[in-house]
Each structure stands twice: as C-alpha cells, then as structure tokens.
Amino acid sequence: CMGQTKALAQRYGTKIEYYEIGNEPDLYPRSHMPVEKAIERQRAYYRGIKSVCPEAKVIPGGWALADSSPWMVSQKGFQERFMKEAQDVCDFHPIHVHASYDKYRQEMLKFFAWREKEGVTIPWYSNETAASSCHGQEDSAAMWVWQKSLWAWAHGSVDYIWYNLRSIGPDPNNGEHAYGIFTMDMQPRATAAAFSALTAMTLSFTSSLTVARWMKGVPMITSQLGFSAARISFSSVARATPSCRVLFIFQLPATMCFLIFVLFICFGVY
C-alpha cells in the first residue's frame, strides 16, 4: 500500500491537492487502533509521499468529531494526543462535524479551545462537513451551505468542502442518502441551488478584493488567509456575523457604492 501511494504521488504530484491518510479514525470501531500505531502510520505515509513529492500536502484522515469525548469514540483523547504528537507530519488538521450551522459553530469553538490547550498550531481544514437534507431539512441545509462556509473562512480554515456531490442512495428519508446536493439520479436539491448561487456570486469577485476580517481585534484580508475569494460566501452575514464579526465596509457612502457594484456584477449590467 505504501508503494502504491508513493507511485501515485510520484506520478501526479501536486495535481492531487491533498493526500488524506484514512478517514474519520476517531469513530468506533476504527478508533480501536492504538494511537501509537496511528501516529506511526501517519509518519510513514507522510515521509513516503514527501520523499517523491516534497510539495505535496499530506493530512491525516479527517476527524469526524470536534473532540474525543462522545460515546462513539472508544479511546478518549485519541484525536488530541494524535494531533499534539504528530502535527509535525500533518500539513493541516482536518475536521468534519456534520451538523447544522449552530451546532457546527458550538463544536468548532470546543475544537479551537483544546487545540490551544494542547499546543496544536498547524492550520485547520474543514474538509468534509455538511448536513443531511432529510426530515424536512432541505431548505435549512441550503442556508447552512452559506453560513458554514462563511464561518469557516472567517475562522481561518484553509479550505472548505461540502459533503457530498451525489447521494449514495435513493431513500430521501435515510440520513446517509440525503447528503448529496444532487439526488442519486442527479436531480438538484435546494443545496445545489444554494451552492450554485454562492459560486456565481463569488466568482464575480477577484482575489484582489479586500475583505476585512476581525478576529480577536486583528484585521485580515483575503490574500492573507490563503482562501480564494471565489470560495467564500458574501451572504448570510447577519446570521454568521455575531461570532466571527466579518467586516466589509461600515461607512455609508462606501457601502452604497459597494452594493451598487455587487448588483452590477450579479445581474450582468456593465
């Protein structure tokens, strides 16, 4: 398996954006692997891939949960110890947390707190997070596309992936079958419309657009965050702002000019 991984990295290099070793290693029964063995495996794959492609980004399997306290984790403290001891062989700290926007935000604040306590300083990456569209949640899930991506960007995520593109099954009442923004037969859900609108709007902006971000009183701009302007959402600000305090332009005249500019871009008026 290591030989195949090295061959893959040697052939495709950085054309593969991230090499993820495993998936959700904190969940039972996968978390039965001793943490020492999990760290050893990560070190081996990291060094193997880097030996043939030093520029490759190598990450551990994205963690399902914000910490290792819930019942479905067999080893308490697994993620915390792994990331503390193995962060030198992880380019990013990937995290999932499938949930509504409010729940996601609450869990991520716990995630940030223990990272700070344990001294985990590598960048984090919201690399698989969404919400199921079943049980009447389709419209809510569409709203969460905007809110969660904006919140993740505002709090320093190096990227954001909404899970997933196409449903894995046909049952609309099965939570696992209702994650895709398209149904199994490729019919769009409300999340597809939301994602399309998000993409259409943000692609109208350039990466040089200055977007101020206030976090702990520190102003940042898009280019400093390493996050393309085409990947952030400029809507649902009112709902996401209380915690991440995103600032665009506060002065009234400038705000009016900015909104007129947005309308021209969005509706194709030149």
Side-chain angles (χ1 to χ4, degrees), residues 106-135:
Q106 293 167 11
E107 291 297 303
M108 293 310 297
L109 292 176
K110 289 164 51 179
F111 172 77
F112 296 146
W114 76 252
R115 271 175 47 97
E116 184 175 2
K117 179 182 177 182
E118 297 295 339
V120 179
T121 58
I122 60 173
W124 72 282
Y125 172 21
S126 199
N127 80 320
E128 184 198 312
T129 183
S132 178
S133 294
C134 68
H135 306 308

Side-chain angles (χ1 to χ4, degrees), residues 65-82:
L65 308 167
D67 60 23
S68 299
S69 63
W71 65 269
M72 64 280 286
V73 177
S74 62
Q75 296 183 68
K76 305 307 177 188
F78 188 171
Q79 180 184 175
E80 293 84 341
R81 182 180 170 191
F82 181 100

Side-chain angles (χ1 to χ4, degrees), residues 96-202:
H96 293 178
V97 188
H98 293 288
S100 67
Y101 164 67
D102 288 333
K103 181 65 174 176
Y104 173 80
R105 182 175 50 124
Q106 293 167 11
E107 291 297 303
M108 293 310 297
L109 292 176
K110 289 164 51 179
F111 172 77
F112 296 146
W114 76 252
R115 271 175 47 97
E116 184 175 2
K117 179 182 177 182
E118 297 295 339
V120 179
T121 58
I122 60 173
W124 72 282
Y125 172 21
S126 199
N127 80 320
E128 184 198 312
T129 183
S132 178
S133 294
C134 68
H135 306 308
Q137 287 195 146
E138 185 165 343
D139 290 345
S140 295
M143 180 174 63
W144 296 333
V145 167
W146 290 78
Q147 293 174 331
K148 291 174 73 173
S149 59
L150 173 60
W151 196 92
W153 163 73
H155 285 78
S157 178
V158 297
D159 213 331
Y160 185 94
I161 294 179
W162 181 271
Y163 174 84
N164 60 356
L165 178 64
R166 179 173 178 256
S167 296
I168 62 173
D171 186 356
N173 295 314
N174 182 314
E176 288 297 321
H177 291 188
Y179 271 108
I181 64 174
F182 291 93
T183 62
M184 196 175 186
D185 58 352
M186 293 304 292
Q187 297 301 308
R189 289 194 171 105
T191 46
F195 216 94
S196 178
L198 170 64
T199 302
M201 180 176 288
T202 55

Side-chain angles (χ1 to χ4, degrees), residues 45-64:
Y45 275 93
Y46 182 90
R47 291 167 179 167
I49 293 170
K50 294 284 188 175
S51 69
V52 296
C53 183
E55 300 82 14
K57 301 299 182 185
V58 184
I59 62 177
W63 304 92

